[in-house]
Short mmCIF file of all heavy atoms in Angstrom, two decimals:
data_model
loop_
_atom_site.label_atom_id
_atom_site.label_comp_id
_atom_site.label_asym_id
_atom_site.label_seq_id
_atom_site.Cartn_x
_atom_site.Cartn_y
_atom_site.Cartn_z
N PHE A 202 6.75 32.15 -8.15
CA PHE A 202 7.57 33.09 -8.91
C PHE A 202 7.06 34.51 -8.64
O PHE A 202 6.21 35.04 -9.35
CB PHE A 202 7.52 32.74 -10.39
CG PHE A 202 8.01 31.34 -10.68
CD1 PHE A 202 7.12 30.28 -10.70
CD2 PHE A 202 9.35 31.11 -10.89
CE1 PHE A 202 7.57 29.00 -10.94
CE2 PHE A 202 9.82 29.82 -11.14
CZ PHE A 202 8.92 28.76 -11.16
N ILE A 203 7.56 35.07 -7.58
CA ILE A 203 7.11 36.38 -7.13
C ILE A 203 7.96 37.46 -7.79
O ILE A 203 9.19 37.41 -7.76
CB ILE A 203 7.19 36.47 -5.60
CG1 ILE A 203 6.29 35.38 -4.98
CG2 ILE A 203 6.78 37.85 -5.11
CD1 ILE A 203 6.49 35.19 -3.52
N ASP A 204 7.28 38.43 -8.39
CA ASP A 204 7.98 39.52 -9.08
C ASP A 204 8.28 40.67 -8.12
O ASP A 204 7.43 41.05 -7.30
CB ASP A 204 7.12 40.04 -10.23
CG ASP A 204 7.25 39.18 -11.48
OD1 ASP A 204 8.37 38.70 -11.74
OD2 ASP A 204 6.23 38.96 -12.16
N PHE A 205 9.50 41.19 -8.25
CA PHE A 205 9.90 42.39 -7.51
C PHE A 205 10.35 43.45 -8.52
O PHE A 205 10.95 43.12 -9.54
CB PHE A 205 11.08 42.08 -6.58
CG PHE A 205 10.74 41.15 -5.45
CD1 PHE A 205 10.74 39.78 -5.64
CD2 PHE A 205 10.42 41.67 -4.19
CE1 PHE A 205 10.45 38.92 -4.59
CE2 PHE A 205 10.12 40.80 -3.14
CZ PHE A 205 10.12 39.44 -3.34
N PRO A 206 10.06 44.70 -8.25
CA PRO A 206 10.65 45.75 -9.09
C PRO A 206 12.17 45.63 -9.06
O PRO A 206 12.76 45.09 -8.12
CB PRO A 206 10.18 47.05 -8.43
CG PRO A 206 8.93 46.66 -7.69
CD PRO A 206 9.16 45.26 -7.21
N VAL A 207 12.84 46.13 -10.10
CA VAL A 207 14.29 45.98 -10.23
C VAL A 207 15.00 46.45 -8.96
O VAL A 207 14.75 47.56 -8.46
CB VAL A 207 14.80 46.77 -11.46
CG1 VAL A 207 16.33 46.69 -11.54
CG2 VAL A 207 14.17 46.24 -12.72
N ASN A 208 15.84 45.55 -8.46
CA ASN A 208 16.69 45.82 -7.29
C ASN A 208 15.90 46.11 -6.01
O ASN A 208 16.44 46.68 -5.05
CB ASN A 208 17.65 46.99 -7.56
CG ASN A 208 18.67 46.64 -8.63
OD1 ASN A 208 19.09 45.49 -8.73
ND2 ASN A 208 19.05 47.63 -9.43
N LYS A 209 14.63 45.74 -5.96
CA LYS A 209 13.80 45.94 -4.77
C LYS A 209 13.57 44.61 -4.05
O LYS A 209 13.60 43.54 -4.65
CB LYS A 209 12.46 46.56 -5.14
CG LYS A 209 12.55 47.92 -5.83
CD LYS A 209 13.09 48.99 -4.90
CE LYS A 209 13.08 50.36 -5.57
NZ LYS A 209 13.60 51.41 -4.68
N THR A 210 13.34 44.68 -2.75
CA THR A 210 13.06 43.47 -1.97
C THR A 210 11.69 43.52 -1.30
O THR A 210 11.32 42.60 -0.59
CB THR A 210 14.14 43.28 -0.88
OG1 THR A 210 14.13 44.43 -0.02
CG2 THR A 210 15.51 43.08 -1.48
N VAL A 211 10.94 44.59 -1.53
CA VAL A 211 9.62 44.74 -0.93
C VAL A 211 8.59 44.02 -1.79
O VAL A 211 8.61 44.14 -3.02
CB VAL A 211 9.24 46.22 -0.78
CG1 VAL A 211 7.83 46.37 -0.22
CG2 VAL A 211 10.25 46.93 0.11
N ILE A 212 7.70 43.26 -1.15
CA ILE A 212 6.65 42.55 -1.88
C ILE A 212 5.46 43.47 -2.11
O ILE A 212 4.93 44.09 -1.18
CB ILE A 212 6.20 41.30 -1.11
CG1 ILE A 212 7.29 40.23 -1.12
CG2 ILE A 212 4.91 40.72 -1.70
CD1 ILE A 212 6.93 38.96 -0.39
N TYR A 213 5.02 43.53 -3.37
CA TYR A 213 3.79 44.23 -3.73
C TYR A 213 2.80 43.18 -4.22
O TYR A 213 2.93 42.67 -5.34
CB TYR A 213 4.07 45.27 -4.83
CG TYR A 213 5.01 46.37 -4.40
CD1 TYR A 213 6.38 46.29 -4.66
CD2 TYR A 213 4.53 47.47 -3.70
CE1 TYR A 213 7.24 47.29 -4.25
CE2 TYR A 213 5.39 48.48 -3.29
CZ TYR A 213 6.75 48.39 -3.57
OH TYR A 213 7.61 49.39 -3.15
N PRO A 214 1.82 42.83 -3.38
CA PRO A 214 0.91 41.72 -3.73
C PRO A 214 0.19 41.90 -5.06
O PRO A 214 -0.14 40.90 -5.72
CB PRO A 214 -0.07 41.71 -2.56
CG PRO A 214 0.70 42.28 -1.42
CD PRO A 214 1.57 43.34 -2.03
N GLU A 215 -0.05 43.12 -5.50
CA GLU A 215 -0.78 43.35 -6.75
C GLU A 215 0.15 43.49 -7.95
O GLU A 215 -0.32 43.68 -9.08
CB GLU A 215 -1.64 44.63 -6.63
CG GLU A 215 -2.58 44.65 -5.42
CD GLU A 215 -3.56 43.50 -5.44
OE1 GLU A 215 -3.97 43.08 -6.54
OE2 GLU A 215 -3.91 43.00 -4.35
N TYR A 216 1.45 43.39 -7.73
CA TYR A 216 2.41 43.63 -8.82
C TYR A 216 2.45 42.42 -9.76
O TYR A 216 2.67 41.29 -9.34
CB TYR A 216 3.79 43.88 -8.21
CG TYR A 216 4.87 44.26 -9.19
CD1 TYR A 216 4.83 45.47 -9.87
CD2 TYR A 216 5.95 43.41 -9.41
CE1 TYR A 216 5.84 45.83 -10.77
CE2 TYR A 216 6.97 43.76 -10.29
CZ TYR A 216 6.91 44.97 -10.97
OH TYR A 216 7.91 45.32 -11.85
N ARG A 217 2.22 42.68 -11.04
CA ARG A 217 2.24 41.65 -12.08
C ARG A 217 1.42 40.43 -11.64
O ARG A 217 0.24 40.55 -11.37
CB ARG A 217 3.68 41.30 -12.44
CG ARG A 217 4.43 42.46 -13.09
CD ARG A 217 5.81 42.06 -13.57
NE ARG A 217 6.48 43.18 -14.23
CZ ARG A 217 7.71 43.16 -14.69
NH1 ARG A 217 8.46 42.06 -14.54
NH2 ARG A 217 8.22 44.23 -15.29
N ARG A 218 2.05 39.24 -11.57
CA ARG A 218 1.30 38.01 -11.25
C ARG A 218 1.43 37.62 -9.78
O ARG A 218 1.18 36.47 -9.40
CB ARG A 218 1.79 36.85 -12.12
CG ARG A 218 1.35 36.95 -13.58
CD ARG A 218 1.83 35.76 -14.38
NE ARG A 218 1.50 34.48 -13.74
CZ ARG A 218 0.33 33.87 -13.84
NH1 ARG A 218 -0.65 34.43 -14.55
NH2 ARG A 218 0.12 32.72 -13.24
N ASN A 219 1.79 38.57 -8.92
CA ASN A 219 2.04 38.23 -7.53
C ASN A 219 0.80 37.70 -6.81
O ASN A 219 0.90 36.87 -5.90
CB ASN A 219 2.61 39.43 -6.77
CG ASN A 219 4.08 39.63 -7.07
OD1 ASN A 219 4.69 38.81 -7.75
ND2 ASN A 219 4.65 40.73 -6.58
N THR A 220 -0.38 38.19 -7.20
CA THR A 220 -1.60 37.69 -6.56
C THR A 220 -1.73 36.19 -6.75
O THR A 220 -2.05 35.44 -5.81
CB THR A 220 -2.84 38.40 -7.14
OG1 THR A 220 -2.73 39.81 -6.91
CG2 THR A 220 -4.11 37.87 -6.48
N VAL A 221 -1.45 35.73 -7.99
CA VAL A 221 -1.53 34.30 -8.28
C VAL A 221 -0.43 33.52 -7.56
O VAL A 221 -0.67 32.47 -6.95
CB VAL A 221 -1.46 34.06 -9.80
CG1 VAL A 221 -1.38 32.56 -10.10
CG2 VAL A 221 -2.66 34.68 -10.49
N GLU A 222 0.79 34.03 -7.62
CA GLU A 222 1.93 33.31 -7.07
C GLU A 222 1.88 33.24 -5.54
O GLU A 222 2.17 32.21 -4.94
CB GLU A 222 3.24 33.95 -7.53
CG GLU A 222 3.45 33.89 -9.03
CD GLU A 222 3.43 32.46 -9.56
OE1 GLU A 222 4.07 31.59 -8.95
OE2 GLU A 222 2.76 32.21 -10.59
N LEU A 223 1.51 34.35 -4.92
CA LEU A 223 1.32 34.32 -3.46
C LEU A 223 0.17 33.39 -3.10
O LEU A 223 0.19 32.70 -2.06
CB LEU A 223 1.07 35.72 -2.92
CG LEU A 223 2.26 36.69 -2.93
CD1 LEU A 223 1.81 38.10 -2.61
CD2 LEU A 223 3.33 36.22 -1.94
N GLY A 224 -0.83 33.35 -3.97
CA GLY A 224 -1.98 32.47 -3.73
C GLY A 224 -1.60 31.00 -3.70
O GLY A 224 -2.23 30.20 -3.01
N LYS A 225 -0.57 30.63 -4.46
CA LYS A 225 -0.11 29.24 -4.42
C LYS A 225 0.32 28.84 -3.01
O LYS A 225 -0.06 27.80 -2.48
CB LYS A 225 1.07 29.05 -5.38
CG LYS A 225 0.76 29.12 -6.85
CD LYS A 225 2.04 28.89 -7.63
CE LYS A 225 1.84 29.01 -9.13
NZ LYS A 225 3.12 28.82 -9.86
N ILE A 226 1.16 29.70 -2.42
CA ILE A 226 1.67 29.41 -1.08
C ILE A 226 0.52 29.42 -0.07
O ILE A 226 0.40 28.53 0.79
CB ILE A 226 2.75 30.43 -0.67
CG1 ILE A 226 3.89 30.42 -1.69
CG2 ILE A 226 3.26 30.13 0.73
CD1 ILE A 226 4.96 31.46 -1.44
N GLU A 227 -0.34 30.43 -0.16
CA GLU A 227 -1.44 30.54 0.79
C GLU A 227 -2.41 29.36 0.68
O GLU A 227 -2.90 28.86 1.69
CB GLU A 227 -2.17 31.87 0.55
CG GLU A 227 -1.32 33.10 0.88
CD GLU A 227 -1.90 34.38 0.32
OE1 GLU A 227 -3.08 34.36 -0.09
OE2 GLU A 227 -1.17 35.40 0.26
N ALA A 228 -2.68 28.92 -0.55
CA ALA A 228 -3.59 27.78 -0.73
C ALA A 228 -2.99 26.52 -0.13
O ALA A 228 -3.72 25.69 0.45
CB ALA A 228 -3.88 27.57 -2.22
N THR A 229 -1.68 26.35 -0.26
CA THR A 229 -1.03 25.17 0.31
C THR A 229 -1.12 25.20 1.83
O THR A 229 -1.42 24.18 2.47
CB THR A 229 0.44 25.12 -0.13
OG1 THR A 229 0.52 25.14 -1.55
CG2 THR A 229 1.11 23.86 0.39
N ILE A 230 -0.85 26.36 2.41
CA ILE A 230 -0.95 26.49 3.87
C ILE A 230 -2.39 26.26 4.33
O ILE A 230 -2.65 25.53 5.30
CB ILE A 230 -0.44 27.86 4.33
CG1 ILE A 230 1.06 28.00 4.04
CG2 ILE A 230 -0.71 28.08 5.82
CD1 ILE A 230 1.62 29.38 4.32
N ASP A 231 -3.34 26.87 3.63
CA ASP A 231 -4.75 26.74 4.02
C ASP A 231 -5.25 25.30 3.94
O ASP A 231 -6.12 24.89 4.73
CB ASP A 231 -5.63 27.63 3.12
CG ASP A 231 -5.42 29.12 3.38
OD1 ASP A 231 -4.91 29.45 4.46
OD2 ASP A 231 -5.78 29.92 2.49
N SER A 232 -4.72 24.52 2.99
CA SER A 232 -5.20 23.15 2.81
C SER A 232 -4.96 22.29 4.03
O SER A 232 -5.67 21.31 4.26
CB SER A 232 -4.54 22.52 1.58
OG SER A 232 -3.16 22.30 1.79
N VAL A 233 -3.94 22.64 4.81
CA VAL A 233 -3.67 21.87 6.03
C VAL A 233 -4.06 22.64 7.28
O VAL A 233 -4.45 22.05 8.30
CB VAL A 233 -2.19 21.43 6.10
CG1 VAL A 233 -1.89 20.43 5.01
CG2 VAL A 233 -1.25 22.62 6.01
N ARG A 234 -3.94 23.96 7.23
CA ARG A 234 -4.22 24.78 8.42
C ARG A 234 -5.68 24.68 8.84
O ARG A 234 -6.00 24.77 10.04
CB ARG A 234 -3.85 26.23 8.13
CG ARG A 234 -3.99 27.19 9.30
CD ARG A 234 -3.38 28.53 8.93
NE ARG A 234 -3.59 29.52 9.98
CZ ARG A 234 -4.63 30.35 10.03
NH1 ARG A 234 -5.54 30.32 9.06
NH2 ARG A 234 -4.75 31.22 11.01
N ASN A 235 -6.58 24.48 7.88
CA ASN A 235 -8.00 24.42 8.19
C ASN A 235 -8.48 23.03 8.62
O ASN A 235 -9.66 22.82 8.83
CB ASN A 235 -8.82 24.88 6.98
CG ASN A 235 -8.56 26.35 6.66
OD1 ASN A 235 -8.27 27.15 7.55
ND2 ASN A 235 -8.65 26.70 5.38
N ASP A 236 -7.55 22.10 8.69
CA ASP A 236 -7.88 20.73 9.11
C ASP A 236 -7.61 20.61 10.61
O ASP A 236 -6.47 20.76 11.06
CB ASP A 236 -7.03 19.74 8.32
CG ASP A 236 -7.44 18.29 8.53
OD1 ASP A 236 -8.04 17.99 9.59
OD2 ASP A 236 -7.17 17.46 7.64
N LYS A 237 -8.64 20.28 11.37
CA LYS A 237 -8.51 20.23 12.83
C LYS A 237 -7.60 19.09 13.29
O LYS A 237 -7.14 19.08 14.44
CB LYS A 237 -9.89 20.08 13.48
CG LYS A 237 -10.65 18.84 13.07
CD LYS A 237 -12.02 18.79 13.72
CE LYS A 237 -12.85 17.59 13.26
NZ LYS A 237 -12.17 16.31 13.54
#
Side-chain angles (χ1 to χ4, degrees):
F202 301 91
I203 300 169
D204 278 322
F205 292 84
V207 176
N208 294 326
K209 300 293 184 180
T210 59
V211 177
I212 289 180
Y213 297 95
E215 306 300 327
Y216 185 67
R217 295 186 177 176
R218 287 182 50 83
N219 282 354
T220 300
V221 173
E222 296 302 314
L223 289 170
K225 290 181 183 178
I226 302 176
E227 294 165 14
T229 304
I230 295 174
D231 290 341
S232 69
V233 293
R234 184 171 175 268
N235 296 330
D236 189 335
K237 60 182 177 58

